[in-house]
Amino acid sequence: MGRVKGWIAAGLLALACAQAQADPAPPRDPDDLLVFVGEKESVVEFEPQLPPNVLLMDGAFKARFRVVQVLHGRYDGERIEFEAYDHYSEPGFSFFPHSLLFLARDGERYVQVKYQFYPVFRTAAGEWAGCGPLSAWERKERRGIAPARPMSFGDDAYVPLDASWTPVFSQKQFRRSDFRVEGRRAYCLRGASAQALFEVKKRGVLRDDGWFADEPRTSAR
């Protein structure tokens, strides 16, 4: 499985697991959640120390990012280090220069809320925004909260295509209204602000994980 394909598969798995979850998790302290736009500096695989007879089925990674803009929580440093765990490949955020990240504080360390991130890019208006949705499920999840709208993105706003994808599959995956597929890249034509994308997670995965119990659940669940 290619790296980009693995990233998309991981995201779809996380959405499916959230959909299947019957009951919300116990409430969690919002102060232990950090949501921010970050600039990637390094992502390195490591071997975590595990208790006896515990088998880790995921790859473990340590990431270092520059904190560009905090959307939720408090973090006073200029840079942050955190751990990420991914069953498929390198974490999806490792493929992009900037990402909207969701981190849970665990004692003295931060850990990515599994699979949760959006690649984001600066628009001509100066705001951070993500591209259009990458699947029918994500379109449904974002409906009424973060619908794709026309934005002026730069040439750096694109999703790399997996080398194994056929042109037909690529055109199906990336809707023409939201992306322009050229070569091995899908350039963003429409998108949603980072704040709007955060609202999607607040009503979906984060809500079901116990962070925002008072938020209405998205209609996709």
Side-chain angles (χ1 to χ4, degrees):
M1 179 178 292
R3 297 193 311 163
V4 180
K5 187 185 294 184
W7 156 52
I8 293 178
L12 293 176
L13 174 63
L15 290 171
C17 290
Q19 183 184 33
Q21 186 171 327
D23 299 310
R28 305 180 70 170
D29 188 347
D31 290 341
D32 288 335
L33 179 70
L34 179 64
V35 181
F36 70 102
V37 173
E39 179 180 329
K40 182 185 66 176
E41 293 191 345
S42 65
V43 180
V44 180
E45 191 166 9
F46 78 105
E47 291 288 340
Q49 293 185 348
L50 301 173
N53 303 317
V54 173
L55 179 64
L56 181 65
M57 302 299 292
D58 298 320
F61 299 82
K62 288 187 176 180
R64 178 181 171 87
F65 273 69
R66 185 173 70 86
V67 178
V68 177
Q69 178 183 347
V70 174
L71 278 70
H72 175 86
R74 179 174 179 179
Y75 190 80
D76 296 327
E78 183 179 347
R79 288 172 173 77
I80 189 169
E81 295 183 355
F82 61 92
E83 298 174 15
Y85 296 85
D86 196 294
H87 186 66
Y88 290 91
S89 63
E90 298 174 43
F93 59 74
S94 67
F95 308 146
F96 300 94
H98 298 91
S99 296
L100 176 63
L101 293 159
F102 304 84
L103 307 184
R105 186 170 61 190
D106 179 18
E108 297 300 317
R109 66 178 186 148
Y110 283 93
V111 180
Q112 181 198 20
V113 179
K114 197 167 187 180
Y115 302 132
Q116 303 309 309
F117 89 102
Y118 288 105
V120 291
F121 311 91
R122 279 279 195 192
T123 68
E127 68 176 331
W128 289 102
C131 301
L134 295 176
S135 67
W137 170 260
E138 190 182 347
R139 283 191 289 274
K140 185 177 180 182
E141 185 189 44
R142 288 169 55 167
R143 186 177 302 151
I145 308 172
R149 57 185 177 85
M151 290 185 168
S152 180
F153 286 104
D155 291 339
D156 63 333
Y158 65 86
V159 176
L161 306 188
D162 191 277
S164 67
W165 290 348
T166 65
V168 172
F169 179 85
S170 297
Q171 290 290 353
K172 182 178 180 180
Q173 183 74 35
F174 299 94
R175 297 178 67 175
R176 291 183 178 180
S177 59
D178 297 330
F179 297 91
R180 183 183 77 254
V181 176
E182 292 183 3
R184 306 309 307 172
R185 296 176 177 181
Y187 290 92
C188 308
L189 300 177
R190 302 200 302 170
S193 70
Q195 183 63 48
L197 294 175
F198 174 34
E199 292 296 323
V200 173
K201 297 301 183 187
K202 284 176 67 174
R203 301 189 194 186
V205 174
L206 295 177
R207 181 192 189 282
D208 291 338
D209 210 24
W211 299 107
F212 299 101
D214 293 334
E215 290 289 335
R217 181 179 276 111
T218 178
S219 61
R221 300 183 184 282

